[in-house]
Amino acid sequence: MTKKRRNGGRNKNGRGHVNFLRCTNCARCVPKDKAIKKFIIRNIVEAAALRDIGEQSVYKSYILPKIYVKLHYCVSCAIHSKVVRNRSRELRRVRTPPVRHMPGRQNNNANNANQGQQQANKN
């Protein structure tokens, strides 16, 4: 039978068993290596209210804390909520990670990922 992916959609390699996680969206049991993981760093207060709080605050240089959340999705929820997309057979072979947009930082890996995409598009 033909294989769609060389890793079978998992990152298990030599391990026989992997613990399960619960999908944050639908609570489905998903193996830890198969789950799509997304790490979100976000301000506690949204940007619209940030200025109002800064004006009303007694402390001038107070930095509001951030929320750090690691989300785990099952494959179907990740596709449905557009965390990941399905790719064509040729683009599935490209193993370079996609370009990560981080405001305020320059990413040297962005050029490498773009070159991988361009090579796949040429073929």
Side-chain angles (χ1 to χ4, degrees):
M1 196 165 142
T2 58
K3 278 183 76 172
K4 193 170 187 180
R5 290 172 189 83
R6 82 185 218 182
N7 63 359
R10 299 185 67 161
N11 192 19
K12 191 166 63 95
N13 296 338
R15 293 178 211 90
H17 183 264
V18 177
N19 290 333
F20 283 88
L21 300 170
R22 291 297 196 147
C23 173
T24 52
N25 194 30
C26 68
R28 174 184 283 166
C29 272
V30 190
K32 184 179 179 182
D33 58 327
K34 189 172 190 171
I36 291 95
K37 298 162 214 50
K38 185 178 179 184
F39 190 68
I40 294 178
I41 303 170
R42 184 174 60 197
N43 286 330
I44 286 181
V45 182
E46 66 266 4
L50 195 65
R51 188 173 57 92
D52 297 336
I53 291 173
E55 290 173 358
Q56 297 295 322
S57 177
V58 176
Y59 305 105
K60 295 300 176 193
S61 63
Y62 181 70
I63 299 170
L64 286 170
K66 296 180 182 288
I67 298 175
Y68 299 91
V69 182
K70 187 163 188 183
L71 303 172
H72 303 279
Y73 290 103
C74 63
V75 175
S76 57
C77 287
I79 291 169
H80 183 73
S81 59
K82 297 179 182 174
V83 175
V84 292
R85 292 183 187 165
N86 58 351
R87 298 188 291 176
S88 66
R89 186 176 293 171
E90 293 82 26
L91 287 178
R92 261 184 242 137
R93 292 183 172 273
V94 177
R95 294 173 61 85
T96 56
V99 180
R100 295 177 66 193
H101 175 68
M102 291 187 161
R105 290 188 183 178
Q106 278 189 326
N107 196 352
N108 294 335
N109 295 333
N111 296 332
N112 297 337
N114 288 336
Q115 290 172 356
Q117 286 284 344
Q118 290 171 357
Q119 288 174 356
N121 291 336
K122 287 179 185 176
N123 295 334

